[in-house]
Amino acid sequence: MNDSPGWASPGSAPSDGQDDAAVPRPTPPGDANGSTSQWSETQPPAGQWQPPTAPVHGAPQPAPARAHGGPGWGGQAPHGPWGLPPAAKPGVIPLRPLTLGEILDGAVTTLRRYWQTVLTVSVAVAVVMQIAEILTQRYLMPAAPVINPDASPAEALDQLGETMRISMIRMGPAYVIMVAATLISAALLTVVISRAVLGSPVTLGTAWREARPRLLQLLGLTLLVPLIGAAVMFVGTLPGLLLGGPAGVSLAVLGGACAFAVVVWLTIRFSLASPALMLERQGVIKAMKRSAKLVQGSWWRIFGITMLTQLLIVVVAMLVAIPFTVIALSVAGNGLSDLLDGTVPEKSWSFLVITGIGGVLTSALTYPISAGVSVLLYIDQRIRREALDLELGRAAGLPGYGG
């Protein structure tokens, strides 16, 4: 154990250039006579542990591969959901490799069980973000361009360019606000969720003290990953842009599609870098390498869970935002007819305030779920690769997991 928030033991991680099979395992709990033994260098694949056989009188007792179920676990132990053996559950997740449902349930349970700390973080961040966004929309953002449906091809091309320019101007402040909100909420919620795994509540002050020293490095990570993605997209589309003409357009589209696939691959590859940086106190580059090592061999699984989570977040956001948008249009304009006509009163105070309230509620619900899935995916990968469940059991003070 090191001095990471609540728990972490990256010293034996295979991301330091070692082979997974050669990683030294933690010393498991001893047998009834008090003796202990080291982990074998050859370990079964994650999630395929077998209960120990009945002991032979007078023979030395091997240590169990996992301390699931605490002392006395053995023989034909009953199996839990999905054929997995029952495991200790000091906090919001059982201490074994997690299923998709357990990852989502752990994120929601953290929100429900520690709602005071979690909602204090997410609501405070969301309120500041929405106030900044309302002021930006009111005073800084240019008005949306008016599209003329009867324009000539040349005029339509000019309108498209103007629309893209204004969209970039409008997205810039929103992106800066989103990065700041995501940074603070992710840092604080990562600490809260790491304690929730152990069943230990954490106050907002404690979470801030533990997260504050990592904010600058987390900011660098938050900016570096999108910057790498933008560079990949630029390189992919540059040959087509330089060529010009119809062939250049086709080449740019093809290069952009290939570059987008690379960006998605890199995004998932580095998706666990943020919890690695926060919980293992890694630097930016080391956290990215750590994430790449943990994701290796599980890219499609992490991609599927991440995409499903984002889909659920979009659905929740729509369910919350649509009623507030309808109310805002009814108060500030002529209802849905304004939305259909493209004349949304986006600079009206009443419209901005009402939609801002909807944005606060949306962010308060989605921030904890997004952060929770990310942290629990990281924990799940370390349990599968590094027997982190034993470290967590010891950190939670469970019997049968050692001192």
Side-chain angles (χ1 to χ4, degrees), residues 137-223:
Q137 291 182 4
R138 175 74 180 182
Y139 296 111
L140 299 181
M141 284 190 178
V146 179
I147 304 299
N148 182 12
D150 300 325
S152 64
E155 293 174 342
L157 187 60
D158 293 339
Q159 290 179 2
L160 178 61
E162 181 66 13
T163 301
M164 293 180 63
R165 185 186 68 83
I166 293 178
S167 298
M168 292 299 295
I169 296 176
R170 293 164 65 90
M171 289 173 59
Y175 180 75
V176 172
I177 295 171
M178 182 191 70
V179 167
T182 303
L183 175 73
I184 297 175
S185 63
L188 295 176
L189 291 175
T190 297
V191 177
V192 174
I193 296 166
S194 70
R195 295 294 183 88
V197 170
L198 303 177
S200 304
V202 57
T203 64
L204 181 59
T206 302
W208 173 250
R209 285 192 299 271
E210 294 186 354
R212 183 176 57 187
R214 317 299 300 169
L215 287 179
L216 286 180
Q217 290 180 314
L218 187 60
L219 175 61
L221 177 64
T222 305
L223 297 177

Side-chain angles (χ1 to χ4, degrees), residues 110-112 114-123 189 192-193 364 368:
T110 301
L111 173 60
R112 186 181 71 249
Y114 303 100
W115 63 271
Q116 290 180 320
T117 303
V118 171
L119 291 183
T120 299
V121 172
S122 58
V123 170
L189 291 175
V192 174
I193 296 166

